[in-house]
C-alpha cells in the first residue's frame, strides 16, 4: 500500500504540473494484480484501491491464488480465523468483511460483489489453471482431485456474481502455476477466446467480459475429477 501511495503521489504531482484538469482520482484507470502470493494480496487489498485510494476505475486480476477452503481445521479458513486477529490484520480488512472467513477467496468474492460495477472497469478477473500443485498445497489440499473439484464448484458458485469473472486455462496433463506470465498460455484459446484478447477486452470493453472455462480433459487425465456442475464449453 505504501508503494502504491508513493506512485499515486508521483502521478498527482506530475498531472497537476501539466495543462488540464490535474489529478483526478475518479479518472485513474488501473489494472491491479498479482501472481501466486500476490494473488492473495490482490484479493485482500482490492477494496483499499476502491475505497481508500479512491480509484474506482481499478480492475483486479488475482492469478493463481484463490484461497479455497479445504474443509479441514488446517487450511485457509482455519488460518484466517486464527491469524487475522493474531497478526493485527483486522483493521486493514474492509468493514463489510472482517471475520476469519474473509481469508477465503470465494467468501470475499461474495462480500465485495454487491459493491462492484459502479463503473464498468470495477470488476475482479479471477485467473488460474485448475491443475496447479503449488496453489493446491499452499491452500493445504493433500488430494489433487479434491482441489480440482473444489475449484470447479467454486467457479460455478461465483461466476454469476456481480463483477466477478473467471478465466480458467485448460492444461490437464501438467501442473501450471501462474498463467498470465506464460507466453504460450497468453495466446491459447479457452472457449474460443485467447487470454490476451480476454484481458484486453476487460480494458477496452469491460461490460462485455464473460467468464471462460472448458471441460477439457481433466476427467480423464485426473481420475476422480468430476465434470463441472454447471454449463461450460466442451
Amino acid at each position: 500500500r505504501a508503494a502504491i501511495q508513493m506512485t499515486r503521489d508521483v502521478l498527482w504531482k506530475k498531472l497537476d504540473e501539466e495543462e488540464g484538469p490535474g489529478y483526478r482520482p475518479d479518472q485513474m484507470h488501473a489494472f491491479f494484480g498479482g501472481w501466486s502470493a500476490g494473488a492473495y494480496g490482490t484479493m485482500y487489498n482490492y477494496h483499499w484501491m476502491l475505497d481508500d485510494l479512491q480509484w474506482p476505475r481499478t480492475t483486479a486480476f488475482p492469478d493463481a491464488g484463490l484461497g479455497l477452503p479445504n474443509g479441514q481445521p488446517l487450511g485457509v479458513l482455519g488460518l484466517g480465523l486464527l491469524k487475522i486477529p493474531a497478526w493485527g490484520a483486522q483493521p486493514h480488512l474492509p468493514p463489510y468483511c472482517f471475520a476469519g472467513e474473509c481469508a477465503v477467496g470465494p467468501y470475499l468474492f461474495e462480500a465485495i460483489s454487491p459493491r462492484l460495477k459502479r463503473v464498468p472497469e470495477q470488476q475482479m478477473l479471477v485467473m488460474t489453471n485448475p491443475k496447479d500443485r503449488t496453489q493446491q498445497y499452499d491452500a493445504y489440499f493433500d488430494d489433487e482431485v479434491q482441489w480440482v473439484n473444489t475449484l470447479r464448484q467454486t467457479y460455478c458458485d461465483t461466476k454469476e456474481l456481480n463483477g466477478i469473472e473467471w478465466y480458467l486455462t485448460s492444461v490437464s496433463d501438467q501442473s501450471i502455476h501462474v498463467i498470465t506470465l506464460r507466453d504460450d498460455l497468453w495466446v491459447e484459446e479457452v472457449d474460443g477466446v485467447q487470454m490476451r484478447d480476454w484481458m484486453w477486452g476487460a480494458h477496452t470493453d469491460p461490460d462485455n467480459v464473460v467468464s471462460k472455462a472448458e471441460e477439457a480433459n481433466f476427467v480423464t487425465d485426473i481420475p476422480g475429477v468430476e465434470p463441472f456442475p454447471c454449463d461450460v464449453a466442451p
Side-chain angles (χ1 to χ4, degrees):
R1 292 185 183 186
I4 293 173
Q5 287 175 318
M6 181 183 69
T7 303
R8 184 271 317 272
D9 292 345
V10 170
L11 290 170
W12 195 332
K13 182 175 184 297
K14 181 177 177 59
L15 290 171
D16 278 357
E17 289 173 347
E18 297 176 351
E19 293 185 5
Y23 175 71
R24 293 271 307 275
D26 62 312
Q27 295 300 313
M28 298 298 297
H29 290 247
F31 255 55
F32 173 59
W35 303 270
S36 192
Y40 283 82
T42 300
M43 292 191 302
Y44 297 160
N45 289 281
Y46 184 35
H47 74 277
W48 179 83
M49 297 286 291
L50 302 178
D51 301 335
D52 294 75
L53 197 65
Q54 296 188 26
W55 285 10
R57 298 182 183 277
T58 298
T59 302
F61 68 98
D63 180 350
L66 296 174
L68 299 183
N70 64 358
Q72 303 298 320
L74 179 58
V76 176
L77 175 58
L79 288 174
L81 294 169
L82 175 67
K83 294 299 186 180
I84 285 175
W87 288 350
Q90 188 164 328
H92 302 288
L93 297 176
Y96 49 82
C97 194
F98 53 82
E101 291 89 346
C102 296
V104 177
Y107 188 98
L108 191 58
F109 299 162
E110 291 184 7
I112 198 173
S113 170
R115 296 161 178 85
L116 298 180
K117 296 300 288 186
R118 291 176 179 166
V119 294
E121 299 87 353
Q122 203 174 90
Q123 56 190 337
M124 188 177 295
L125 312 177
V126 185
M127 309 182 71
T128 193
N129 189 67
K131 186 177 179 69
D132 179 351
R133 292 202 177 105
T134 300
Q135 187 181 174
Q136 170 194 332
Y137 295 144
D138 285 347
Y140 297 90
F141 281 78
D142 295 326
D143 182 358
E144 184 175 56
V145 170
Q146 182 196 9
W147 163 258
V148 176
N149 286 335
T150 300
L151 189 151
R152 289 181 155 209
Q153 184 67 58
T154 301
Y155 168 85
C156 292
D157 290 344
T158 62
K159 71 182 183 71
E160 300 297 338
L161 290 175
N162 174 62
I164 305 296
E165 304 293 347
W166 288 72
Y167 192 96
L168 297 179
T169 50
S170 302
V171 182
S172 58
D173 59 353
Q174 61 175 309
S175 175
I176 300 291
H177 185 56
V178 174
I179 63 173
T180 56
L181 298 180
R182 291 181 57 111
D183 291 343
D184 55 336
L185 294 180
W186 199 241
V187 296
E188 285 289 328
E189 291 187 356
V190 173
D191 191 15
V193 178
Q194 292 180 329
M195 181 165 61
R196 65 180 182 182
D197 293 336
W198 190 79
M199 291 196 76
W200 180 245
H203 174 67
T204 58
D205 192 13
D207 275 338
N208 286 312
V209 175
V210 295
S211 293
K212 293 292 181 180
E214 298 173 333
E215 187 59 53
N217 297 320
F218 289 93
V219 171
T220 54
D221 287 350
I222 309 175
V225 166
E226 299 175 356
F228 275 95
C230 59
D231 291 335
V232 297

